Amino acid sequence: METEAYLNGKSSSNASRPVEEKGIHLGEAADMYGDLGAAEEYGYVTRGLKSRHIQFIALGGTIGTGLFVGIGRALTQAGPLSILMGYTFTGVAVYAMMMSLGELATWLPLPGAIPQFCTRYVDGAMGFAVGWNNWFSSAITLCAEISAAALVIQYWNGVQGIDVAAWISLIIVLVVCLNIFTVSIYGEAEFVFASIKILTIVGLIVFAFIIDLGGGPTRDRLGFRYWNNPGAMKAYKGTGSTGRFLGFFSVLVNAAFSYTGVEMVAVAAGEAENPRHNIPKAVRRVFWRILFFYVLGSLAIGVLIPYNEPRLLGAINDGAPGGAASPWVIAVYRAGVPVLPSIINAVILTSATSSANAFLYTGSRYMYALAQNGQAPRLFLRCSKSGVPYFCIMITASISLLTFMSRTSGAAKAFQWFQNLVTIANLFTWMSVSVAYIRFHAALKAQGVDRSTLVFRSPFQPYTAYFSLCFFAIITLFNGFYAFSPFDIKGFVSAYVGIPIYFALYTFWKFFKRTRFIKAHEADIHTGKAVLDAADAHWPPRVARNWAERVWFWIA
């Protein structure tokens, strides 16, 4: 980033003056923009996300239809053991990436975060590519989640006569209202949504344990019956060991998409209260999210239904909306518990709405970060008095109008093509995070910063970052393996069109701005840090007054 530090070379006592005189958010803006005049003209985001908001965003903020519905397709393609291993291995790589991102976001908790880190530590062209790629991905995923939520509503007989456009409009208005006024409203909404999802997943895992041991209405003890018949691993696109391996690899691809949005906690770091305390805590919670929700969830699905379950296969082949294609719903039907399917569908509706809310937030913050980098019009820096970048929100929300395309067959195909453009965008985001961390690690060493002095220090670096980079690169390169035998041009384009788009963005900015690869000793690791360091002293410590508060403070 080319911005000159407002407090370049000044003491920490001087660095605290903007904080004391104008408030934390204007102090940060002055340090980023270079003077208080620009800060007061454009405004700045506020740190309105409380600890509980950040912790619950980390635990369940972006759990969407992938865990409730998408995991069913993985089961039918690969079998129960493959989905357990696939979600576990991918979870390890995601956690490795998140540890790298946690260290970056704790050092400099900036709005949007990832494009700024890539621009500062690697190359302005990478910041431009990952920023606009992420914005487009978030905007189109926003459309997809709104469409999914509108279709889930059709599950209930009483609303099937209402045009789906009405539900699309209602959901768009809802998510815009949750984002446009103040970030604390967004935080409260995500806190409620995440709580519902967390309670539901925990309940479903307990339900699976009871049914598996024979505690359901049928008193049939399942054990690991379906791991023996039809089997633990299913061959996919082949036979024997090769087919079973390809089935397992297909789960790695599916799982990577299910973990989409896990990096959101870092995107929100620029608006978190006491970020040097709350961001490390939230990043560590990602481990438990992966273990309990994804790993135990995949194990539960694998013991409840076989991979050749006719209703699941039929729902997937027919493109059934909502919970009809959910392995959880089908497991409930098989167990003979009739009331639960409606509850699960309601949670799927909540999850889709929550994800739409989250992706509108992240998309707007990516655009805001691009404007800070000088890679988007400066107009997008303008914030309301409550610290909301309203131009960024409205531009991102306007893309949600494409959701209406899904109502007609011809436009639905175009809409599906838009979605295909972003299928591997998240993998590029995670790889970019890993590259940015590797360069950040080198910059710390080159500029004489001892990592032992960092507030949050991720373990085994930079090898952890290299591991996650290689893992996601392999998935990216081979994610379309199914399209080669026999060759399927539509499948090939769907799997790989995101790669040339990313590099086209990178190449455009590289030649347009003549950017260069940033050397470690030249990387900007300090702009914006002085005021953040000074602001640390302004956050009051949380002191538990009784055992209930101690438990709550540990959770949130």
Side-chain angles (χ1 to χ4, degrees):
M1 192 171 183
E2 302 299 328
T3 307
E4 185 180 27
Y6 173 68
L7 301 166
N8 186 25
K10 297 188 179 182
S11 67
S12 60
S13 61
N14 288 335
S16 66
R17 287 178 185 170
V19 175
E20 295 168 353
E21 295 173 3
K22 295 290 185 179
I24 291 174
H25 74 289
L26 280 182
E28 290 185 43
D31 207 4
M32 292 296 297
Y33 299 154
D35 63 84
L36 278 172
E40 291 173 333
E41 177 186 356
Y42 292 106
Y44 202 65
V45 294
T46 58
R47 295 197 174 274
L49 294 176
K50 301 181 184 298
S51 176
R52 59 187 172 87
H53 299 153
I54 293 296
Q55 304 313 318
F56 275 68
I57 287 172
L59 283 171
T62 54
I63 294 175
T65 53
L67 184 58
F68 291 110
V69 180
I71 194 172
R73 182 178 295 275
L75 176 66
T76 61
Q77 287 180 349
L81 179 58
S82 292
I83 65 169
L84 177 60
M85 293 192 304
Y87 274 79
T88 301
F89 291 170
T90 305
V92 171
V94 167
Y95 184 65
M97 180 276 300
M98 283 301 299
M99 294 300 286
S100 301
L101 183 55
E103 185 173 323
L104 290 169
T106 304
W107 175 265
L108 271 181
L110 301 173
I114 297 170
Q116 303 216 48
F117 298 149
C118 292
T119 296
R120 285 170 176 251
Y121 310 142
V122 187
D123 186 346
M126 176 177 276
F128 179 85
V130 74
W132 282 110
N133 205 40
N134 281 358
W135 176 80
F136 180 75
S137 172
S138 297
I140 296 299
T141 307
L142 165 66
C143 298
E145 295 294 348
I146 291 172
S147 177
L151 290 174
V152 168
I153 296 174
Q154 302 299 305
Y155 171 84
W156 291 281
N157 295 328
V159 300
Q160 289 179 350
I162 302 175
D163 193 331
V164 69
W167 302 117
I168 291 173
S169 302
L170 181 64
I171 297 166
I172 290 174
V173 172
L174 174 62
V175 297
V176 170
C177 288
L178 291 176
N179 278 271
I180 198 65
F181 296 110
T182 177
V183 72
S184 61
I185 295 178
Y186 162 78
E188 292 295 347
E190 283 305 297
F191 174 74
V192 173
F193 286 143
S195 298
I196 293 172
K197 288 184 282 187
I198 291 168
L199 290 174
T200 301
I201 295 171
V202 171
L204 287 173
I205 291 174
V206 172
F207 165 81
F209 180 73
I210 293 171
I211 296 300
D212 190 58
L213 294 180
T218 62
R219 303 299 178 190
D220 182 16
R221 188 180 187 280
L222 299 177
F224 283 83
R225 174 187 306 173
Y226 302 127
W227 290 47
N228 294 317
N229 183 25
M233 300 182 76
K234 179 185 177 184
Y236 177 67
K237 294 290 182 179
T239 58
S241 299
T242 301
R244 287 190 292 273
F245 173 78
L246 292 178
F248 162 72
F249 191 85
S250 72
V251 178
L252 296 180
V253 178
N254 182 283
F257 300 147
S258 294
Y259 285 114
T260 294
V262 70
E263 72 283 355
M264 185 179 297
V265 66
V267 177
E271 293 169 270
E273 290 184 354
N274 198 1
R276 299 274 169 73
H277 171 78
N278 290 328
I279 297 304
K281 183 178 178 181
V283 168
R284 294 186 183 101
R285 294 287 170 85
V286 171
F287 171 81
W288 301 108
R289 168 181 170 177
I290 291 170
L291 175 62
F292 284 110
F293 301 156
Y294 289 96
V295 176
L296 290 184
S298 61
L299 175 61
I301 288 297
V303 300
L304 287 178
I305 59 175
Y307 63 69
N308 59 356
E309 160 61 43
R311 277 174 291 192
L312 180 59
L313 291 170
I316 292 173
N317 292 333
D318 296 339
S326 169
W328 297 104
V329 171
I330 292 172
V332 167
Y333 276 125
R334 289 171 62 96
V337 186
V339 70
L340 282 181
S342 286
I343 296 175
I344 296 174
N345 268 280
V347 173
I348 294 173
L349 172 60
T350 301
S351 297
T353 306
S354 170
S355 293
N357 183 43
F359 282 108
L360 175 55
Y361 172 82
T362 54
S364 65
R365 272 36 177 200
Y366 283 133
M367 181 173 282
Y368 186 72
L370 286 164
Q372 283 194 320
N373 288 343
Q375 296 161 341
R378 203 164 175 82
L379 172 71
F380 296 142
L381 289 175
R382 291 198 177 276
C383 294
S384 66
K385 291 182 179 179
S386 57
V388 174
Y390 50 88
F391 281 120
C392 296
I393 287 177
M394 296 313 297
I395 292 295
T396 307
S398 68
I399 305 300
S400 67
L401 298 177
L402 292 175
T403 311
F404 292 104
M405 293 172 60
S406 62
R407 295 176 60 245
T408 60
S409 59
K413 293 180 180 179
F415 181 66
Q416 182 62 44
W417 190 81
F418 276 121
Q419 286 185 262
N420 291 340
L421 293 180
V422 301
T423 50
I424 61 171
N426 216 63
L427 290 170
F428 272 106
T429 299
W430 296 344
M431 286 190 288
S432 298
V433 168
S434 301
V435 172
Y437 180 82
I438 291 168
R439 298 306 304 156
F440 171 73
H441 187 277
L444 291 179
K445 187 175 181 180
Q447 298 182 34
V449 178
D450 186 355
R451 286 187 70 241
S452 64
T453 63
L454 271 58
V455 176
F456 176 70
R457 186 173 69 255
S458 51
F460 310 118
Q461 293 288 11
Y463 309 107
T464 302
Y466 278 113
F467 162 71
S468 60
L469 174 62
C470 293
F471 185 92
F472 296 130
I474 290 171
I475 294 180
T476 301
L477 289 174
F478 297 104
N479 86 94
F481 70 90
Y482 60 86
F484 289 93
S485 182
F487 186 73
D488 176 12
I489 184 62
K490 290 183 178 179
F492 178 82
V493 171
S494 174
Y496 292 109
V497 70
I499 296 177
I501 288 176
Y502 180 90
F503 284 105
L505 290 168
Y506 181 93
T507 303
F508 165 75
W509 198 254
K510 190 77 174 174
F511 284 96
F512 180 65
K513 287 291 185 178
R514 304 291 183 185
T515 64
R516 60 186 180 86
F517 185 77
I518 298 172
K519 297 177 181 179
H521 68 276
E522 297 175 345
D524 181 7
I525 63 175
H526 292 294
T527 297
K529 188 172 183 296
V531 169
L532 288 167
D533 291 343
D536 286 343
H538 290 254
W539 299 112
R542 296 204 304 172
V543 179
R545 294 168 295 182
N546 50 55
W547 68 268
E549 284 194 350
R550 281 196 294 271
V551 172
W552 178 244
F553 287 174
W554 178 80
I555 294 173

